[in-house]
Amino acid sequence: MATSNISATMKTSPSTPSKNFSYSRFITFTSNNTHSNHLFFIKPSISLRSTRSFHVKNVASDQKLIEPIPQQGVNDIPSSISSDSIASKIKYHAEFTPSFSPEKFEVSKAYFATAQSVRDALIANWNATYDYYDKFNMKQAYYLSMEFLQGRALLNAIGNLELSGPYAEALTKLGHDLENVAKQEPDAALGNGGLGRLASCFLDSLATLNYPAWGYGLRYKYGLFKQNITKDGQEEVAENWLEMGNPWEIVRNDISYPVKFYGKVVAGSDGKKHWIGGEDIKAVAYDVPIPGYRTKTTINLRLWSTKVPSQDFDLSAFNSGDHAKAYEAQTIAEKICYILYPGDDSMEGKILRLKQQYTLCSASLQDIIARFEKRCAGSLNWEEFPEKVAVQMNDTHPTLCIPELMRILIDFKGLSWKQAWEITQRTVAYTNHTVLPEALEKWSYEIMQKLLPRHVEIIELIDEQLLHTIILESGVEDLELLQKKLKEMRILDNFDLPASVLELLFPPEDNSIIDSNEEVSIYDEEEDSIEEAESTDEEKETEGENSWNKTMALFKPDPKGAKVVRMANLCVVGGHAVNGVAEIHSEIVKEEVFNEFFKLWPQKFQNKTNGVTPRRWILFCNPDLSSIISKWTGTEDWVLDTEKLAELRKFADNKDLQNEWRAAKRNNKTKIVSFIKERTGYVVSADAMFDVQVKRIHEYKRQLLNIMGIVYRYKKMKEMSAEERKAKFVPRVCIFGGKAFSTYVQAKRIVKFITDVGATVNHDPEIGDLLKVVFVPDYNVSVAEWLIPASELSQHISTAGMEASGTSNMKFSMNGCVLIGTLDGANVEIREEVGEDNFFLFGARAHEIAELRKERAEGKFVPDPRFEEVKAYIRSGVFGSSNYNDLMGSLEGNEGYGRADYFLVGKDFPSYIECQEKVDEAYRDQKRWTRMSILNTAGSYKFSSDRTIREYAKDIWNINPVDLH
């Protein structure tokens, strides 16, 4: 690929990068014979010393576009790219890299040709970026994630290249509109929610800030699922994002790695362990270039797809008619990358999920190591590996990186256990994203041992080493306390203690060690009544044996309990850094989730409050607001330096700014009115407040609290006259969006209930535009880019202490949306930055939750009468014939699975509806509301992913930015 002549400098802090970038040029020299065209790809070594004209046939209109090529060398960077030049590139791809028939130049074909023309520029910059990284071998960060929720790439890419205007003009000349062309792009179905969107924001910031980095994920054929909303609620169908191909990806058929499952481990004559037999597949690389903003730096997202070699196709079985057997190996391999998070209720589903995680880890680490070895050339030194490589595990899904890196270093590179362990710990770091006990990933030991036998051996040794560390650090004076520590901290849960650990607890010279597998009688205080007479030798011996049995019983596993591998514990032990993603979350991680680990290794624990990219989430999705911000701050630099957003505080009461601000919000709301009509059929008013809750459907995120508040509002409206309703309530359009996982029954009940409430409320002539309830189907990044700029109130109402951070709350605040929420996740820091008066707060605090649940279990909770009133109203049948007993029943009782209101909807309900009354009051005063809106944008500067990435780079990865000129 053609690249410009590029130099680079290492810097300890980023500076504003160059706006220039290189482009490859495609030139068709046309003779009088229209059938004799010769295409030349001009390489950097060729200088163009004369001016030439060229044209490409316009398949849309047959017109000829003439572009003079100035007298220059291709190594010279052009000062600007003309729309005519871009149009020529688009037409070239329409004709020579077709994905559609040649007869027409319709909008879908225009999208592919446009995307491919942009990709040319990205590949040129990508090649230049990594040529430099390879040449100078600086340290690089590798971000491993099961999800990358990228969203549409076209507008983001040309925006980062600062070519939105020229591309819009070029497409107009070709008979198309950029916005319509961009709509043809499906969202890449590589993620589910905040975890994947965070990863994508991080890649954008890494490229923009010129950090040497790379993302690794899986190339899912169908992603999670496409959500349809029917009369029965949510319906899942396969996502079709790859059906027409993906113009952004580059398949690297020459880059593939073997991945093994099952088999057995044997000791070789060389003394090494060998993992043999089993099932072998191949992971093939697909690369997606990620451009930075105002910089040539273009980093890479490498996605793995799985297959088997052609020789694994059973030709004889096919010819004999057994077609299923013939394709069996290929089917087994390919299904690993079919969908994101396959259902794991079955054994097959669990195995498939574990295969996905190991494929990501194994292929990525093999690739990272191959790149390290290539860059080191003849001076390979494994001790330098952590000085050149940083691996970040985004949640626990990539945990197998730890035993996999150990396996490669020991079994293939010949390192000792001590060397490999030190290298692994210095290389790997872990981001925790949850405090929910059920979400702290655990894997069945039996499944893992069957699927990954060598890794289980390594994990067992890591666990044994951890036990030694804990015992040596804690001592053996208080065995009950030690047992609690070991129970909490072990990687292998519900296992016997290894023999080497028993020797630490009970040295052979002091005790006759009982086999840890023997039956141990549990000491019973009630049956042990030793008389106060002088003991005989035999009695003393019996007493000692009872004491021994009691001590051993402390450390015996539960015979009825499952043996599991605790992945989060392995992450903490195997990495050098553990970070939470918001200040309150990181404190909970230290004080509750991993408290014993924190006391053992306090230096490992950090906070890295999440952030979102201001490019996609203000500049590109909200151009009206962006123009206003640039005008009133006097600069466009806020896009790279969000601290400049704070300048808006000076003008929060300025009448002219407020008028412009309201006009921008109104314009965005008008677009959503059309969008809602198109997606749902409902007609809503742009004069109403747009009240939005869009996120994954989960009980802890409490969409149920929101919809029950709406039901309460609706019931009160029905009890009033028209005049009373108008005086009491501000008109609202309540918008929901998000997917419930396909096997999460309670979440799907919530979706169904929301749609039932909407069907009733939206057709009630008495209520009219005073209240509408809309569930937007198939919520994704592109829908968010429409909804967030139009939102006025956004709900972030999770049970305090349950949400790690949240990132949508940051996007809403950046776009001048006022939040209603609990003191949970990043809400705490957002409220601090935007000001308490500009955030609607309600609900119990995180430190109160445990006591409130205890109070409930003891039968002391007394529900608010308004809460009981709403439940009775729902059960009355007003929202249709569906049975809501299971949904309402989950909020009742004092204990039991699926009952007892674990997420405290009933406890926070009165506080919530009272807070909503304050929202109405504030919204009536539009001057006050607009001021609140402006101050939310002004206070959102902290929540840029640029700030987050700088902190990761400095505190965890130890990498420096590299400016390419």
Side-chain angles (χ1 to χ4, degrees):
M1 277 296 173
T3 61
S4 60
N5 188 24
I6 291 177
S7 64
T9 55
M10 294 285 291
K11 305 195 75 170
T12 55
S13 61
S15 60
T16 303
S18 166
K19 295 186 180 182
N20 296 324
F21 54 90
S22 63
Y23 251 83
S24 306
R25 292 181 173 273
F26 291 98
I27 304 173
T28 304
F29 295 90
T30 307
S31 67
N32 290 331
N33 182 350
T34 56
H35 297 288
S36 179
N37 292 344
H38 302 283
L39 180 72
F40 292 85
F41 186 75
I42 306 302
K43 299 202 180 236
S45 58
I46 301 173
S47 290
L48 302 178
R49 296 303 178 190
S50 61
T51 300
R52 301 181 185 273
S53 296
F54 76 101
H55 71 268
V56 177
K57 183 179 179 182
N58 185 339
V59 291
S61 61
D62 283 340
Q63 75 183 66
K64 294 181 179 180
L65 294 176
I66 307 298
E67 181 194 22
I69 300 177
Q71 191 169 0
Q72 64 173 19
V74 174
N75 286 345
D76 299 331
I77 300 172
S79 59
S80 64
I81 301 296
S82 71
S83 59
D84 285 352
S85 164
I86 290 171
S88 295
K89 295 176 192 300
I90 293 171
K91 289 187 292 180
Y92 165 79
H93 282 291
E95 189 165 351
F96 292 104
T97 54
S99 299
F100 299 83
S101 58
E103 292 83 8
K104 298 177 181 178
F105 189 61
E106 294 181 336
V107 65
S108 53
K109 185 173 184 177
Y111 159 66
F112 266 78
T114 302
Q116 286 160 336
S117 75
V118 177
R119 194 185 71 172
D120 288 344
L122 300 186
I123 292 175
N125 288 346
W126 187 96
N127 287 340
T129 301
Y130 283 97
D131 282 349
Y132 185 83
Y133 293 170
D134 283 346
K135 181 178 179 181
F136 290 95
N137 193 20
M138 70 281 295
K139 185 173 185 181
Q140 185 167 329
Y142 297 94
Y143 197 82
L144 272 65
S145 178
M146 287 292 286
E147 297 185 45
F148 285 93
L149 201 57
Q150 291 289 93
R152 290 171 174 163
L154 178 58
L155 293 181
N156 188 72
I158 62 175
N160 276 357
L161 293 170
E162 296 187 286
L163 287 174
S164 300
Y167 262 92
E169 291 175 20
L171 284 166
T172 299
K173 292 176 182 179
L174 297 174
H176 288 290
D177 174 74
L178 175 59
E179 187 172 315
N180 289 335
V181 168
K183 285 180 181 177
Q184 302 305 304
E185 180 177 3
D187 276 39
L190 299 171
N192 175 29
L195 183 82
R197 188 53 235 169
L198 178 76
S200 295
C201 283
F202 279 3
L203 292 186
D204 178 272
S205 287
L206 284 163
T208 297
L209 299 176
N210 302 299
Y211 283 111
W214 206 318
Y216 281 106
L218 295 181
R219 182 181 179 268
Y220 303 107
K221 184 175 181 179
Y222 300 114
L224 189 66
F225 58 80
K226 186 174 182 179
Q227 180 194 52
N228 293 331
I229 298 298
T230 70
K231 61 181 179 62
D232 298 317
Q234 173 180 293
E235 176 187 77
E236 305 94 24
V237 297
E239 180 60 71
N240 62 350
W241 78 284
L242 284 175
E243 199 166 84
M244 299 298 286
N246 179 10
W248 300 103
E249 67 185 14
I250 307 107
V251 60
R252 307 292 193 187
N253 288 312
D254 59 328
I255 299 176
S256 65
Y257 297 97
V259 179
K260 179 184 286 294
F261 305 106
Y262 303 108
K264 62 181 179 179
V265 180
V266 297
S269 58
D270 55 2
K272 293 182 179 179
K273 294 293 185 75
H274 297 273
W275 183 13
I276 62 172
E279 176 183 295
D280 296 294
I281 66 162
K282 187 163 69 170
V284 179
Y286 285 73
D287 287 347
V288 180
I290 308 295
Y293 178 68
R294 290 185 176 178
T295 175
K296 280 193 293 291
T297 298
T298 300
I299 65 172
N300 191 38
L301 170 58
R302 177 158 285 178
L303 303 172
W304 300 107
S305 186
T306 46
K307 64 179 185 179
V308 293
S310 57
Q311 60 262 29
D312 286 0
F313 177 75
D314 193 337
L315 188 60
S316 61
F318 189 86
N319 287 332
S320 65
D322 193 348
H323 300 157
K325 182 182 178 184
Y327 277 107
E328 185 177 16
Q330 186 69 18
T331 302
I332 288 171
E334 288 182 348
K335 73 180 181 181
I336 291 172
C337 291
Y338 270 177
I339 67 169
L340 170 67
Y341 303 141
D344 60 353
D345 286 350
S346 66
M347 179 65 71
E348 291 78 9
K350 289 180 173 66
I351 290 172
L352 186 55
R353 277 207 192 187
L354 191 55
K355 279 186 171 184
Q356 286 184 333
Q357 294 185 6
Y358 179 59
T359 297
L360 169 64
C361 295
S362 181
S364 301
L365 279 172
Q366 288 182 72
D367 195 44
I368 291 167
I369 288 170
R371 293 172 60 77
F372 170 74
E373 291 177 322
K374 177 189 172 188
R375 289 180 178 181
C376 291
S379 59
L380 181 62
N381 179 358
W382 285 105
E383 297 299 325
E384 293 180 355
F385 189 76
E387 303 302 323
K388 300 297 183 182
V389 171
V391 173
Q392 189 70 35
M393 301 182 296
N394 191 27
D395 213 353
T396 53
H397 307 124
T399 304
L400 289 167
C401 279
I402 294 167
E404 176 68 358
L405 183 53
M406 292 288 290
R407 182 183 77 90
I408 294 171
L409 293 177
I410 295 170
D411 295 356
F412 291 96
K413 305 305 175 182
L415 274 64
S416 68
W417 174 275
K418 183 179 179 182
Q419 288 174 310
W421 182 240
E422 181 183 345
I423 289 168
T424 298
Q425 282 194 308
R426 289 170 57 205
T427 301
V428 177
Y430 161 54
T431 299
N432 173 274
H433 284 280
T434 186
V435 299
L436 293 172
E438 66 271 20
L440 286 172
E441 196 172 24
K442 302 177 183 69
W443 279 104
S444 159
Y445 176 82
E446 181 184 358
I447 291 175
M448 189 174 285
Q449 188 177 48
K450 182 179 179 183
L451 195 69
L452 303 169
R454 179 60 178 137
H455 296 76
V456 166
E457 286 187 349
I458 293 169
I459 291 169
E460 287 173 343
L461 289 172
I462 295 172
D463 182 66
E464 185 173 349
Q465 185 170 284
L466 170 65
L467 294 175
H468 280 254
T469 302
I470 296 168
I471 292 169
L472 292 173
E473 192 74 24
S474 303
V476 295
E477 290 77 16
D478 189 336
L479 291 179
E480 288 192 10
L481 179 62
L482 179 61
Q483 186 272 339
K484 289 177 183 177
K485 282 189 178 184
L486 298 184
K487 175 68 176 172
E488 183 176 331
M489 298 174 74
R490 285 196 72 176
I491 297 165
L492 299 175
D493 188 28
N494 209 36
F495 279 73
D496 285 306
L497 294 176
S500 68
V501 175
L502 287 174
E503 289 182 7
L504 281 178
L505 293 175
F506 312 107
E509 62 270 19
D510 297 334
N511 296 284
S512 300
I513 302 297
I514 296 177
D515 188 330
S516 63
N517 291 315
E518 277 187 30
E519 281 291 324
V520 177
S521 60
I522 297 178
Y523 179 73
D524 190 334
E525 289 185 4
E526 293 180 3
E527 294 180 4
D528 181 34
S529 54
I530 301 175
E531 296 184 4
E532 294 183 3
E534 183 175 351
S535 300
T536 65
D537 289 344
E538 185 178 342
E539 288 171 334
K540 288 180 180 179
E541 186 177 333
T542 302
E543 182 181 349
E545 185 177 328
N546 285 340
S547 176
W548 165 258
N549 288 341
K550 176 184 176 182
T551 302
M552 283 300 298
L554 278 174
F555 297 97
K556 290 296 291 182
D558 178 359
K560 296 180 181 178
K563 288 179 163 59
V564 297
V565 182
R566 297 193 285 197
M567 306 303 270
N569 287 21
L570 179 54
C571 286
V572 176
V573 175
H576 66 89
V578 180
N579 72 278
V581 290
E583 287 179 1
I584 185 175
H585 170 239
S586 294
E587 288 305 306
I588 293 172
V589 165
K590 291 190 292 187
E591 299 302 322
E592 297 178 27
V593 182
F594 298 125
N595 182 245
E596 291 297 340
F597 285 113
F598 173 65
K599 288 188 287 189
L600 181 61
W601 297 309
Q603 73 282 358
K604 280 193 182 189
F605 289 81
Q606 303 184 18
N607 174 60
K608 295 288 172 279
T609 298
N610 282 342
V612 300
T613 167
R615 272 75 64 185
R616 184 181 286 269
W617 293 111
I618 310 181
L619 183 64
F620 302 150
C621 76
N622 200 344
D624 290 347
L625 186 65
S626 298
S627 297
I628 293 169
I629 293 170
S630 297
K631 173 185 173 182
W632 286 86
T633 60
T635 179
E636 295 180 357
D637 291 348
W638 60 268
V639 181
L640 288 169
D641 181 7
T642 51
E643 288 194 7
K644 294 188 183 300
L645 291 173
E647 291 289 308
L648 292 169
R649 288 173 173 157
K650 299 176 187 176
F651 312 108
D653 293 306
N654 185 286
K655 182 179 179 181
D656 292 335
L657 173 59
Q658 289 203 355
N659 287 337
E660 291 176 25
W661 202 269
R662 280 193 291 269
K665 183 67 74 174
R666 173 75 184 201
N667 186 41
N668 289 325
K669 289 173 69 177
T670 302
K671 294 175 185 175
I672 290 301
V673 170
S674 302
F675 174 81
I676 289 173
K677 177 70 165 62
E678 176 190 332
R679 290 292 183 96
T680 70
Y682 290 133
V683 177
V684 302
S685 170
D687 294 325
M689 177 203 294
F690 279 20
D691 172 353
V692 179
Q693 187 180 18
V694 283
K695 53 185 75 230
R696 185 164 44 93
I697 310 296
H698 198 292
E699 288 170 279
Y700 89 83
K701 293 179 184 287
R702 300 203 295 191
Q703 287 90 351
L704 186 55
L705 175 60
N706 185 351
I707 192 62
M708 290 184 76
I710 292 168
V711 168
Y712 179 79
R713 188 182 188 90
Y714 177 66
K715 184 175 186 294
K716 293 304 160 188
M717 286 180 176
K718 295 291 287 181
E719 294 168 355
M720 296 177 180
S721 66
E723 293 76 17
E724 288 173 325
R725 281 195 291 268
K726 188 174 180 180
K728 174 73 174 174
F729 296 105
V730 164
R732 287 204 200 193
V733 178
C734 300
I735 302 170
F736 292 84
K739 295 178 180 179
F741 191 69
S742 55
T743 58
Y744 190 173
V745 175
Q746 192 74 335
K748 294 177 80 169
R749 287 177 182 145
I750 293 170
V751 173
K752 166 67 172 160
F753 180 50
I754 292 168
T755 58
D756 284 351
V757 171
T760 298
V761 172
N762 298 347
H763 294 102
D764 190 329
E766 288 185 357
I767 303 303
D769 286 338
L770 202 55
L771 182 63
K772 298 289 185 184
V773 180
V774 177
F775 193 101
V776 177
D778 205 35
Y779 176 68
N780 57 23
V781 176
S782 296
V783 173
E785 289 171 342
W786 283 79
L787 278 178
I788 290 173
S791 302
E792 294 172 288
L793 179 74
S794 180
Q795 307 219 20
H796 304 274
I797 56 177
S798 52
T799 312
M802 295 285 100
E803 184 74 86
S805 168
T807 51
S808 67
N809 46 7
M810 302 169 184
K811 297 164 197 167
F812 282 103
S813 186
M814 278 184 173
N815 282 271
C817 182
V818 184
L819 309 189
I820 180 172
T822 53
L823 282 181
D824 196 28
N827 283 359
V828 177
E829 292 160 79
I830 290 174
R831 182 169 176 262
E832 288 172 357
E833 298 298 333
V834 305
E836 295 179 5
D837 293 339
N838 305 305
F839 184 106
F840 293 103
L841 178 67
F842 75 95
R845 306 303 194 254
H847 67 274
E848 300 172 335
I849 301 301
E851 189 60 34
L852 289 170
R853 287 186 178 135
K854 180 183 176 185
E855 177 187 274
R856 181 71 178 244
E858 293 171 352
K860 297 177 182 177
F861 172 67
V862 179
D864 187 279
R866 293 166 291 184
F867 185 62
E868 296 300 289
E869 178 185 349
V870 168
K871 288 194 298 177
Y873 191 58
I874 291 167
R875 283 175 161 142
S876 72
V878 69
F879 299 115
S881 58
S882 296
N883 186 330
Y884 302 115
N885 284 335
D886 288 331
L887 189 59
M888 295 298 102
S890 71
L891 306 174
E892 297 170 339
N894 295 320
E895 57 185 354
Y897 178 76
R899 292 180 63 79
D901 192 11
Y902 184 79
F903 299 104
L904 305 182
V905 174
K907 176 65 181 179
D908 281 350
F909 184 78
S911 174
Y912 176 70
I913 59 173
E914 288 159 13
C915 190
Q916 286 285 14
E917 292 174 1
K918 296 176 183 176
V919 171
D920 277 19
E921 178 186 347
Y923 193 77
R924 283 194 185 92
D925 182 350
Q926 278 294 291
K927 181 178 178 181
R928 175 189 171 192
W929 188 272
T930 306
R931 183 179 191 276
M932 294 173 72
S933 175
I934 293 168
L935 290 174
N936 263 269
T937 299
S940 67
Y941 62 87
K942 175 182 176 179
F943 304 103
S944 166
S945 52
D946 294 352
R947 185 265 315 151
T948 313
I949 284 299
R950 286 192 185 100
E951 292 178 5
Y952 272 101
K954 177 178 178 288
D955 301 335
I956 297 178
W957 303 332
N958 191 28
I959 60 173
N960 294 309
V962 181
D963 288 353
L964 285 86
H965 301 294

